[in-house]
Amino acid sequence: MVINNKKKYKHLSLAVLLLTVVSNLIAQPAPTIYTKWEPGFTHSLQHTHDMALPAWGPYSTKFNGISHVPAKNDGIRFDVVVQPSLYFRNVIPLASTQRESGYHPWDASADLSYFVYRFQLEWKDQVYCDVSFSKIDENSRLIRAAYVNNTARTRSMALNIFSSIMYPYQKRMGIVRPNDTHFYKASDYINFTDSIKAFNYNLVYDGQLRGQIKDENAASKTAIVTGKNPGEQLSYQFINNRQLQEGVILLRYRSVDKANAKISFRLHHQTAQNIVLPYSKEYTLAEVAVKDLPTGNFDLTLKTLSKNKIALDGFILLKQDEIEIIKFQEEHINRIPQEIESGVNNSAVFKYDDIDEYYGILWSDSLADRRALFDDNPDKALAHFNHLVKKEHRSSDKSRIGGNNSGYFENIFSAPINVAPGQQVNRYAYIVSGRSEKEVIDRIRTLSFAEREVENIYHKQQAISDRWETNKAGEPYIFSQQLMAATTLTNVNYPTFAGNQYLKHTTPGKRWSAFYTWDAGFIGLGYSKLNAGRALESLNAYTMDTNEQSAFLEHGTPLPVQAYLFNELWNDTQNNEYLTYFYPRLKRYYDYLNGAESSSTRKLKSNLIQTWDIFYNSGGWDDYSPQVYMHRHKLARSTAATVNTAHQIRFAKLLKMAAIHLGYRQDVKNYDEDIQLYSKALQEWSWDESSGYFGYVQHNDDGEPTGILQHDSGVNFNMGLDGVSPLVAGICTPEQQKRLIEHMFNKDKLWTDQGITAIDQSAPYYNKDGYWNGRVWMPHQWFIWKTMLDLNEPEKAIQIAQTALDVWKRETEATYNCWENFSVETGNGGGWHQFGALSSPVLNWFNSLYRPGNVTHGFNVWTLAQKFYPENNGFEGQFRLFADHGEHSSSLLFCLNDAYDYQATLNGKSVPLNKVLDGLYTIKIVMEKKHSKIFNLEIKPQ
């Protein structure tokens, strides 16, 4: 029997909110990971991919400001938008995260207890406002708007503070049901197995559950699609806490395919029932009678019997006579809060229907107007002149600004704020959250706008963010690094959704609210030089335990940058608990790319890896010439890029070093076999002697290699970063190595004044107007930089790093923007203007060259122990050197206190210490034996 609830109900019952199940109240890592990794610190990383950041932070995906994540963690967010502007002027757009709008991330602490944005009101620094957010306690923040006038004329300013509730959906389905019944979401299954395992069976995109889709017509807001193949099986656990002997299970579903679906329905250990689910475009209910119900927990198993897909929303167990009560209906979303009288001047206390917490705002300007905006975009309000000017006669009541009625913002409007030439004028506000109105009101009453008090709060938090201890030579780079750090640390969004849970998550830039696998690896590498805890949670977000469905969190290019982050954090910490926790997660990542689980990466008989099934982009370089050509001509199935196999080799080598340290002998043996297999494949099929690059390898229908992909002109189509990637793997012959290095540092080929470009400039397919082709990006240069140390070429490593730092400094200081890429022709920055991610290597390079207390080496060196002297004027360390082949050698960079000169010993014997500049030294290591060798280094002041 099928019950159809499509019709509209004239008499709507009271709205019933969905029950928040325990699984949605997710854990997050302990904030202590930001300060010190005490024993047991990995426990809080388990069963979560969230961040340890506080509830208050820069999480909005729409407008710049500060947001609060309620404890319920159901994707709803409270936003506070702070917008300074010139008074009587509508030339200043609202600070949108989706376009350039006049503000710049300026400074931030790693735990986001303090962050600040600079709003350029008259370019450049003629008139500006620094808006900062400072922690008072876990529930309270100080907003400080500091207006500065560097012109010769007095300026009149304004300040708007908007607040609103933000939902992760546009509509919501509610359920009318008996109070003691429960709606079981289809996504809360115990297990989902398929009779046919596709390549993504163990790599569900965006970290979703198997079969999961977002669906605002579902009461659970997501649905599980099943029926792609007969034999798919879903298992659930229900609770019969009403001690029913018999009853009905209602199944809410809609058809995906235009046909009836057939499933088997088995309760506990009973005989399965076969059920037909008639075609229904909209969600409907199927009724299944059940009897002999056990008391307490019992299992339900569904199995598809046909190849017709349905979307499952959920289930309800109830009595037969209760079916009439059940109604699924769209609920009204109330964005207008209840305002609560606080008894405190210049304050407002709010309670939203869909947030358990109460919020309070207290502002310093007693003459500020209060307004209510009935629109989903306050930017439109500021585009109207009459909304920029205060009312002639101030009212004690809120004034109304009409709009599209699709949203609602509370608004505090303060103007004029007159600032004389050379003067700074501050305005303040507090924002507070609490579990009750009393808690919020009591807290508001304790807050003061006394100058000393508010400035002490601000300066205390500002001091925490001051991380730039550097040698004198590095001082000119501090400002550009500060902007990069602020951008990277504040590029955090909420909500993102993975593993059936809402999360806070880093993003390359706030225009993107999704996950990005290879970008996140570089974000983590940058974090490793700002705060190890931020890097740790980034690695945890993208790697998976063995009991999770996906091998790793996949979105976009599957280049395993997390492997390099894993290695970097070990080298920085030598923490064995960290290594033991993450090694199996990284091994699972590696195994999937190696063809394990459901992976399709090993289909070709050449033994070259393919990742086209996972994503169209092999190395993150969207318009990389051979990649574009290959897809345009539908050659992906028969073509292998070089870069994926090259990085799989290096992945194996990094894990091999960890496995040796952990004593996993069989893993070491397996890695050695893979390294040999992949190295042989690249050398046999991918090397192109005529061009001196490795190439894309084509295959016939049987998967056998047939040759290298060539451009119409007859030259190798892979004269670029992909073609040099085997250097990173460490598998090149001395002759190949020499030719590839010549390509990279030749100004007629890959080298430019801005660094290494993606495509050889002499290639017929080089395009100076491309996105990657014809521009310089940082990420692959980071791989090459580390590789130059492996190859005992520290001068070239420093050339890469120093060039990048100079380019970054020039373009960041000129625009205050943190760019994605740089034009080969002009050097101008391009792409998104508040970009972290792939530009994060500048943080690593700055630390290596200019911040005392840093040692840098290539991928072939495994750190066993290291310690800098208290004043960074000396070093002791023990390392293991792994040879690729040939001479057993490598280089290390040391950044030490520049007030001293130094001498070094290697295994107790004096070794040359090459001074690059004050505080920066290189050491070349050459070992006699051609197998793994431990060496001890000591550096002392002379």
Side-chain angles (χ1 to χ4, degrees), residues 347-618:
S347 73
V349 176
F350 303 128
K351 175 66 176 69
Y352 291 91
D353 289 351
D354 293 324
I355 297 179
D356 292 338
E357 287 90 339
Y358 292 72
Y359 295 106
I361 301 178
L362 182 68
W363 55 93
S364 61
D365 186 355
S366 61
L367 298 179
D369 286 346
R370 290 197 59 200
R371 308 187 294 191
L373 170 63
F374 290 81
D375 203 300
D376 61 352
N377 188 355
D379 205 2
K380 295 178 182 177
L382 294 186
H384 296 280
F385 180 77
N386 59 326
H387 298 153
L388 296 168
V389 183
K390 291 186 72 175
K391 299 294 184 183
E392 184 175 350
H393 300 290
R394 184 171 179 268
S395 171
S396 58
D397 297 326
K398 280 188 288 189
S399 59
R400 176 189 175 104
I401 300 176
N404 60 17
N405 290 315
S406 296
Y408 178 86
F409 287 83
E410 290 280 341
N411 176 219
I412 301 157
F413 179 36
S414 184
I417 303 169
N418 295 326
V419 187
Q423 187 183 28
Q424 175 176 317
V425 174
N426 299 339
R427 289 291 183 268
Y428 305 96
Y430 293 103
I431 46 176
V432 177
S433 62
R435 293 165 294 180
S436 68
E437 62 180 82
K438 183 179 184 304
E439 182 180 343
V440 170
I441 293 171
D442 287 349
R443 187 70 181 101
I444 284 176
R445 286 174 176 166
T446 68
L447 300 173
S448 166
F449 288 114
E451 188 75 10
R452 171 178 280 188
E453 185 169 333
V454 289
E455 286 298 296
N456 280 345
I457 294 170
Y458 165 75
H459 287 293
K460 177 185 176 182
Q461 295 298 339
Q462 183 190 40
I464 295 174
S465 74
D466 186 8
R467 68 183 70 82
W468 303 110
E469 295 179 7
T470 182
N471 285 334
K472 188 173 182 180
E475 290 176 0
Y477 299 92
I478 289 177
F479 175 66
S480 61
Q481 293 295 308
Q482 176 184 309
L483 295 191
M484 177 80 265
T487 298
T488 305
L489 291 170
T490 59
N491 272 345
V492 184
N493 284 347
Y494 176 91
T496 50
F497 189 79
N500 215 24
Q501 300 168 336
Y502 288 103
L503 310 169
K504 297 185 290 292
H505 193 75
T506 55
T507 177
K510 281 183 170 286
R511 66 168 294 192
W512 301 281
S513 60
F515 305 100
Y516 284 87
T517 303
W518 94 296
D519 296 70
F522 280 104
I523 292 171
L525 285 167
Y527 281 166
S528 72
K529 305 311 171 191
L530 299 173
N531 183 276
R534 290 288 297 263
L536 183 79
E537 64 190 5
S538 175
L539 183 60
N540 194 63
Y542 281 83
T543 58
M544 300 287 181
D545 198 358
T546 53
N547 62 359
E548 295 182 83
Q549 288 185 356
S550 290
F552 57 94
L553 202 165
E554 162 55 23
H555 181 109
T557 301
L559 206 65
V561 187
Q562 283 71 27
Y564 300 91
L565 173 56
F566 167 70
N567 182 254
E568 192 81 357
L569 279 173
W570 166 259
N571 288 329
D572 288 344
T573 65
Q574 297 90 65
N575 187 292
N576 283 300
E577 181 182 338
Y578 157 82
L579 192 69
T580 303
Y581 174 82
F582 276 104
Y583 174 80
R585 299 170 78 96
L586 270 296
K587 184 178 183 299
R588 188 178 181 199
Y589 195 155
Y590 172 84
D591 287 344
Y592 185 89
L593 293 177
N594 217 38
E597 300 191 43
S598 60
S599 173
S600 61
T601 59
R602 294 285 299 275
K603 294 184 295 187
L604 300 174
K605 294 179 182 178
S606 62
N607 290 318
L608 296 171
I609 282 179
Q610 270 188 329
T611 61
W612 306 122
D613 282 346
I614 301 173
F615 198 62
Y616 79 94
N617 201 327
S618 61

Side-chain angles (χ1 to χ4, degrees), residues 693 742-743 746-751 757 759-762:
Y693 286 93
E742 287 175 350
H743 293 327
N746 184 333
K747 287 196 71 172
D748 293 326
K749 295 195 172 183
L750 289 172
W751 185 260
T757 190
I759 297 288
D760 189 319
Q761 296 164 93
S762 68

Side-chain angles (χ1 to χ4, degrees), residues 120-167:
Q120 290 288 336
L121 305 182
E122 288 187 18
W123 185 263
K124 180 181 185 183
D125 293 331
Q126 292 297 294
V127 181
Y128 65 86
C129 182
D130 287 342
V131 176
S132 60
F133 303 89
S134 301
K135 177 182 176 180
I136 305 167
D137 55 42
E138 290 304 320
N139 298 324
S140 309
R141 294 295 187 271
L142 169 70
I143 300 172
R144 178 183 186 264
Y147 293 86
V148 176
N149 180 7
N150 287 324
T151 72
R153 295 163 48 219
T154 298
R155 288 289 188 269
S156 186
M157 317 287 191
L159 179 66
N160 276 281
I161 300 177
F162 296 95
S163 61
S164 187
I165 185 173
M166 295 291 166
Y167 292 83

Side-chain angles (χ1 to χ4, degrees), residues 21-33:
V21 296
V22 173
S23 64
N24 204 35
L25 297 172
I26 84 169
Q28 65 177 38
T32 51
I33 63 172

